[in-house]
Short mmCIF file of all heavy atoms in Angstrom, two decimals:
data_model
loop_
_atom_site.label_atom_id
_atom_site.label_comp_id
_atom_site.label_asym_id
_atom_site.label_seq_id
_atom_site.Cartn_x
_atom_site.Cartn_y
_atom_site.Cartn_z
N VAL A 1 0.82 -1.22 0.00
CA VAL A 1 0.00 0.00 0.00
C VAL A 1 0.85 1.26 0.00
O VAL A 1 0.37 2.34 -0.38
CB VAL A 1 -0.96 0.00 1.21
CG1 VAL A 1 -2.00 -1.10 1.07
CG2 VAL A 1 -0.20 -0.13 2.53
N LYS A 2 2.13 1.13 0.41
CA LYS A 2 3.01 2.30 0.42
C LYS A 2 4.44 1.86 0.12
O LYS A 2 4.84 0.73 0.44
CB LYS A 2 2.97 3.00 1.79
CG LYS A 2 1.64 3.65 2.13
CD LYS A 2 1.69 4.29 3.51
CE LYS A 2 0.34 4.88 3.90
NZ LYS A 2 0.35 5.45 5.28
N GLU A 3 5.19 2.76 -0.48
CA GLU A 3 6.61 2.53 -0.75
C GLU A 3 7.43 3.65 -0.10
O GLU A 3 7.03 4.81 -0.14
CB GLU A 3 6.88 2.51 -2.25
CG GLU A 3 6.19 1.39 -3.01
CD GLU A 3 6.49 1.46 -4.50
OE1 GLU A 3 7.70 1.42 -4.86
OE2 GLU A 3 5.54 1.59 -5.30
N TYR A 4 8.56 3.27 0.47
CA TYR A 4 9.45 4.25 1.08
C TYR A 4 10.85 4.03 0.52
O TYR A 4 11.30 2.89 0.36
CB TYR A 4 9.48 4.09 2.60
CG TYR A 4 8.13 4.24 3.27
CD1 TYR A 4 7.35 3.12 3.56
CD2 TYR A 4 7.65 5.49 3.62
CE1 TYR A 4 6.12 3.24 4.17
CE2 TYR A 4 6.41 5.64 4.24
CZ TYR A 4 5.65 4.50 4.50
OH TYR A 4 4.42 4.64 5.12
N SER A 5 11.52 5.11 0.23
CA SER A 5 12.88 5.03 -0.27
C SER A 5 13.74 5.98 0.54
O SER A 5 13.46 7.19 0.63
CB SER A 5 12.93 5.41 -1.76
OG SER A 5 14.26 5.32 -2.24
N SER A 6 14.79 5.43 1.13
CA SER A 6 15.68 6.24 1.97
C SER A 6 17.10 5.72 1.82
O SER A 6 17.35 4.52 2.04
CB SER A 6 15.25 6.18 3.44
OG SER A 6 16.15 6.88 4.25
N ALA A 7 18.01 6.62 1.44
CA ALA A 7 19.43 6.29 1.28
C ALA A 7 19.62 5.12 0.32
O ALA A 7 20.45 4.23 0.54
CB ALA A 7 20.06 5.99 2.63
N GLY A 8 18.81 5.11 -0.73
CA GLY A 8 18.94 4.06 -1.75
C GLY A 8 18.30 2.74 -1.36
O GLY A 8 18.37 1.77 -2.12
N GLU A 9 17.67 2.68 -0.20
CA GLU A 9 17.03 1.44 0.24
C GLU A 9 15.51 1.60 0.14
O GLU A 9 14.95 2.59 0.61
CB GLU A 9 17.43 1.10 1.67
CG GLU A 9 16.83 -0.21 2.16
CD GLU A 9 17.20 -0.51 3.61
OE1 GLU A 9 17.92 0.30 4.21
OE2 GLU A 9 16.76 -1.56 4.12
N VAL A 10 14.89 0.62 -0.46
CA VAL A 10 13.44 0.65 -0.64
C VAL A 10 12.78 -0.19 0.44
O VAL A 10 13.20 -1.32 0.72
CB VAL A 10 13.04 0.13 -2.04
CG1 VAL A 10 11.52 0.16 -2.21
CG2 VAL A 10 13.72 0.95 -3.12
N ARG A 11 11.74 0.37 1.04
CA ARG A 11 10.94 -0.37 2.02
C ARG A 11 9.48 -0.31 1.61
O ARG A 11 9.05 0.59 0.88
CB ARG A 11 11.12 0.22 3.43
CG ARG A 11 12.49 0.01 4.01
CD ARG A 11 12.65 0.69 5.36
NE ARG A 11 13.90 0.35 5.99
CZ ARG A 11 14.06 -0.70 6.81
NH1 ARG A 11 13.02 -1.48 7.10
NH2 ARG A 11 15.24 -0.95 7.33
N TYR A 12 8.74 -1.30 2.12
CA TYR A 12 7.33 -1.40 1.73
C TYR A 12 6.47 -1.53 2.99
O TYR A 12 6.91 -2.08 4.01
CB TYR A 12 7.09 -2.62 0.84
CG TYR A 12 7.95 -2.67 -0.40
CD1 TYR A 12 9.05 -3.51 -0.46
CD2 TYR A 12 7.65 -1.89 -1.51
CE1 TYR A 12 9.84 -3.57 -1.58
CE2 TYR A 12 8.43 -1.94 -2.65
CZ TYR A 12 9.53 -2.78 -2.68
OH TYR A 12 10.31 -2.82 -3.80
N GLN A 13 5.24 -1.05 2.84
CA GLN A 13 4.24 -1.30 3.87
C GLN A 13 3.08 -2.02 3.20
O GLN A 13 2.58 -1.60 2.16
CB GLN A 13 3.75 0.00 4.51
CG GLN A 13 2.87 -0.24 5.73
CD GLN A 13 2.74 1.01 6.60
OE1 GLN A 13 2.59 2.11 6.07
NE2 GLN A 13 2.80 0.84 7.91
N THR A 14 2.69 -3.12 3.81
CA THR A 14 1.63 -3.95 3.22
C THR A 14 0.40 -3.96 4.12
O THR A 14 0.45 -3.55 5.29
CB THR A 14 2.12 -5.41 3.02
OG1 THR A 14 2.47 -5.96 4.30
CG2 THR A 14 3.32 -5.45 2.10
N LYS A 15 -0.68 -4.45 3.56
CA LYS A 15 -1.93 -4.52 4.32
C LYS A 15 -2.83 -5.56 3.66
O LYS A 15 -2.90 -5.65 2.43
CB LYS A 15 -2.62 -3.16 4.32
CG LYS A 15 -4.01 -3.13 4.96
CD LYS A 15 -4.60 -1.75 4.87
CE LYS A 15 -6.05 -1.72 5.37
NZ LYS A 15 -6.94 -2.57 4.54
N GLY A 16 -3.49 -6.34 4.48
CA GLY A 16 -4.48 -7.28 3.95
C GLY A 16 -5.72 -6.53 3.51
O GLY A 16 -6.17 -5.60 4.19
N ASP A 17 -6.29 -6.91 2.38
CA ASP A 17 -7.48 -6.22 1.87
C ASP A 17 -8.62 -6.25 2.87
O ASP A 17 -9.43 -5.31 2.93
CB ASP A 17 -7.93 -6.86 0.55
CG ASP A 17 -6.95 -6.57 -0.58
OD1 ASP A 17 -5.98 -5.82 -0.35
OD2 ASP A 17 -7.16 -7.10 -1.69
N ALA A 18 -8.70 -7.31 3.66
CA ALA A 18 -9.80 -7.44 4.62
C ALA A 18 -9.41 -6.94 6.01
O ALA A 18 -10.26 -6.97 6.93
CB ALA A 18 -10.25 -8.90 4.70
N ASN A 19 -8.18 -6.50 6.18
CA ASN A 19 -7.72 -6.00 7.48
C ASN A 19 -7.94 -4.49 7.60
O ASN A 19 -7.92 -3.77 6.59
CB ASN A 19 -6.25 -6.32 7.69
CG ASN A 19 -6.00 -7.82 7.83
OD1 ASN A 19 -6.94 -8.60 7.96
ND2 ASN A 19 -4.73 -8.21 7.80
N GLU A 20 -8.12 -4.03 8.80
CA GLU A 20 -8.29 -2.59 9.03
C GLU A 20 -6.95 -1.88 9.22
O GLU A 20 -6.81 -0.71 8.84
CB GLU A 20 -9.19 -2.36 10.25
CG GLU A 20 -10.62 -2.86 10.08
CD GLU A 20 -11.48 -2.56 11.29
OE1 GLU A 20 -10.93 -1.98 12.27
OE2 GLU A 20 -12.69 -2.89 11.27
N SER A 21 -5.99 -2.58 9.80
CA SER A 21 -4.70 -1.95 10.09
C SER A 21 -3.64 -2.42 9.10
O SER A 21 -3.73 -3.49 8.51
CB SER A 21 -4.26 -2.29 11.52
OG SER A 21 -4.14 -3.70 11.68
N GLU A 22 -2.63 -1.58 8.97
CA GLU A 22 -1.52 -1.90 8.09
C GLU A 22 -0.48 -2.73 8.83
O GLU A 22 -0.43 -2.74 10.06
CB GLU A 22 -0.90 -0.60 7.55
CG GLU A 22 -1.87 0.22 6.71
CD GLU A 22 -1.27 1.55 6.32
OE1 GLU A 22 -0.28 1.97 6.97
OE2 GLU A 22 -1.80 2.19 5.39
N ASP A 23 0.35 -3.41 8.03
CA ASP A 23 1.42 -4.21 8.62
C ASP A 23 2.63 -3.32 8.91
O ASP A 23 2.69 -2.15 8.50
CB ASP A 23 1.85 -5.33 7.67
CG ASP A 23 0.67 -6.20 7.25
OD1 ASP A 23 -0.15 -6.52 8.12
OD2 ASP A 23 0.57 -6.54 6.05
N ALA A 24 3.58 -3.90 9.60
CA ALA A 24 4.84 -3.18 9.86
C ALA A 24 5.60 -3.00 8.55
O ALA A 24 5.45 -3.79 7.60
CB ALA A 24 5.68 -3.95 10.87
N ILE A 25 6.40 -1.98 8.49
CA ILE A 25 7.20 -1.73 7.29
C ILE A 25 8.26 -2.82 7.15
O ILE A 25 8.91 -3.21 8.13
CB ILE A 25 7.87 -0.34 7.37
CG1 ILE A 25 6.79 0.75 7.42
CG2 ILE A 25 8.78 -0.11 6.17
CD1 ILE A 25 7.36 2.15 7.61
N ILE A 26 8.41 -3.31 5.93
CA ILE A 26 9.35 -4.41 5.67
C ILE A 26 10.40 -3.95 4.67
O ILE A 26 10.19 -3.00 3.90
CB ILE A 26 8.62 -5.67 5.12
CG1 ILE A 26 7.90 -5.33 3.81
CG2 ILE A 26 7.67 -6.23 6.16
CD1 ILE A 26 7.26 -6.53 3.14
N SER A 27 11.53 -4.63 4.68
CA SER A 27 12.61 -4.31 3.75
C SER A 27 12.45 -5.11 2.46
O SER A 27 11.69 -6.09 2.40
CB SER A 27 13.97 -4.63 4.39
OG SER A 27 14.08 -6.02 4.64
N ARG A 28 13.18 -4.70 1.47
CA ARG A 28 13.14 -5.38 0.17
C ARG A 28 13.59 -6.83 0.29
O ARG A 28 13.06 -7.70 -0.40
CB ARG A 28 14.04 -4.62 -0.82
CG ARG A 28 14.31 -5.31 -2.15
CD ARG A 28 13.04 -5.41 -2.97
NE ARG A 28 13.30 -6.06 -4.25
CZ ARG A 28 13.42 -7.37 -4.41
NH1 ARG A 28 13.33 -8.18 -3.36
NH2 ARG A 28 13.64 -7.88 -5.60
N SER A 29 14.52 -7.09 1.17
CA SER A 29 15.06 -8.45 1.31
C SER A 29 14.06 -9.42 1.93
O SER A 29 14.21 -10.64 1.82
CB SER A 29 16.34 -8.44 2.16
OG SER A 29 16.07 -7.93 3.46
N GLN A 30 13.04 -8.88 2.59
CA GLN A 30 12.03 -9.76 3.21
C GLN A 30 10.99 -10.26 2.21
O GLN A 30 10.29 -11.23 2.47
CB GLN A 30 11.32 -9.01 4.34
CG GLN A 30 12.18 -8.74 5.56
CD GLN A 30 11.42 -7.96 6.61
OE1 GLN A 30 11.65 -6.75 6.80
NE2 GLN A 30 10.51 -8.62 7.32
N VAL A 31 10.90 -9.60 1.08
CA VAL A 31 9.89 -9.97 0.08
C VAL A 31 10.36 -11.20 -0.69
O VAL A 31 11.45 -11.20 -1.28
CB VAL A 31 9.61 -8.80 -0.89
CG1 VAL A 31 8.53 -9.21 -1.89
CG2 VAL A 31 9.19 -7.56 -0.11
N LEU A 32 9.54 -12.24 -0.69
CA LEU A 32 9.87 -13.47 -1.40
C LEU A 32 9.47 -13.41 -2.87
O LEU A 32 10.11 -14.03 -3.72
CB LEU A 32 9.18 -14.67 -0.74
CG LEU A 32 9.55 -14.93 0.73
CD1 LEU A 32 8.73 -16.09 1.28
CD2 LEU A 32 11.04 -15.22 0.85
N GLY A 33 8.40 -12.70 -3.17
CA GLY A 33 7.96 -12.62 -4.56
C GLY A 33 6.56 -12.06 -4.68
O GLY A 33 5.85 -11.88 -3.69
N ARG A 34 6.19 -11.79 -5.92
CA ARG A 34 4.86 -11.25 -6.22
C ARG A 34 3.95 -12.39 -6.67
O ARG A 34 4.38 -13.32 -7.38
CB ARG A 34 4.95 -10.21 -7.33
CG ARG A 34 3.62 -9.57 -7.72
CD ARG A 34 3.83 -8.47 -8.75
NE ARG A 34 4.30 -9.03 -10.02
CZ ARG A 34 3.48 -9.44 -11.00
NH1 ARG A 34 2.16 -9.37 -10.84
NH2 ARG A 34 3.99 -9.90 -12.13
N VAL A 35 2.69 -12.32 -6.28
CA VAL A 35 1.72 -13.34 -6.67
C VAL A 35 1.40 -13.18 -8.16
O VAL A 35 0.92 -12.13 -8.59
CB VAL A 35 0.42 -13.23 -5.83
CG1 VAL A 35 -0.60 -14.25 -6.32
CG2 VAL A 35 0.73 -13.46 -4.35
N VAL A 36 1.69 -14.22 -8.93
CA VAL A 36 1.45 -14.17 -10.38
C VAL A 36 0.32 -15.10 -10.81
O VAL A 36 -0.14 -15.02 -11.95
CB VAL A 36 2.74 -14.53 -11.15
CG1 VAL A 36 3.81 -13.48 -10.92
CG2 VAL A 36 3.25 -15.91 -10.76
N PHE A 37 -0.10 -15.97 -9.90
CA PHE A 37 -1.18 -16.91 -10.23
C PHE A 37 -1.81 -17.39 -8.94
O PHE A 37 -1.13 -17.57 -7.94
CB PHE A 37 -0.64 -18.10 -11.03
CG PHE A 37 -1.67 -19.17 -11.32
CD1 PHE A 37 -2.58 -19.01 -12.36
CD2 PHE A 37 -1.73 -20.31 -10.54
CE1 PHE A 37 -3.53 -19.99 -12.62
CE2 PHE A 37 -2.68 -21.28 -10.80
CZ PHE A 37 -3.58 -21.12 -11.84
N HIS A 38 -3.12 -17.61 -8.99
CA HIS A 38 -3.79 -18.19 -7.81
C HIS A 38 -4.98 -19.03 -8.27
O HIS A 38 -5.60 -18.74 -9.30
CB HIS A 38 -4.25 -17.09 -6.84
CG HIS A 38 -5.33 -16.21 -7.40
ND1 HIS A 38 -6.67 -16.43 -7.18
CD2 HIS A 38 -5.25 -15.09 -8.16
CE1 HIS A 38 -7.37 -15.49 -7.78
NE2 HIS A 38 -6.55 -14.67 -8.39
#
């Protein structure tokens, strides 16, 4: 839902579509991949 860039490092904030609150900000290295099929 949000992207942050600081000192060349990209961070992301995610949120479940059915959740009211957002998740903690995560680093690029924590992301395993994007959903391409379900």
Side-chain angles (χ1 to χ4, degrees):
V1 293
K2 293 178 183 177
E3 297 179 57
Y4 301 95
S5 180
S6 176
E9 182 182 0
V10 179
R11 291 176 173 270
Y12 304 103
Q13 189 163 42
T14 61
K15 174 181 174 297
D17 290 356
N19 293 350
E20 296 182 358
S21 59
E22 297 174 342
D23 305 318
I25 298 175
I26 60 175
S27 64
R28 170 66 179 79
S29 60
Q30 290 178 255
V31 181
L32 300 177
R34 180 176 67 89
V35 176
V36 295
F37 175 80
H38 66 94

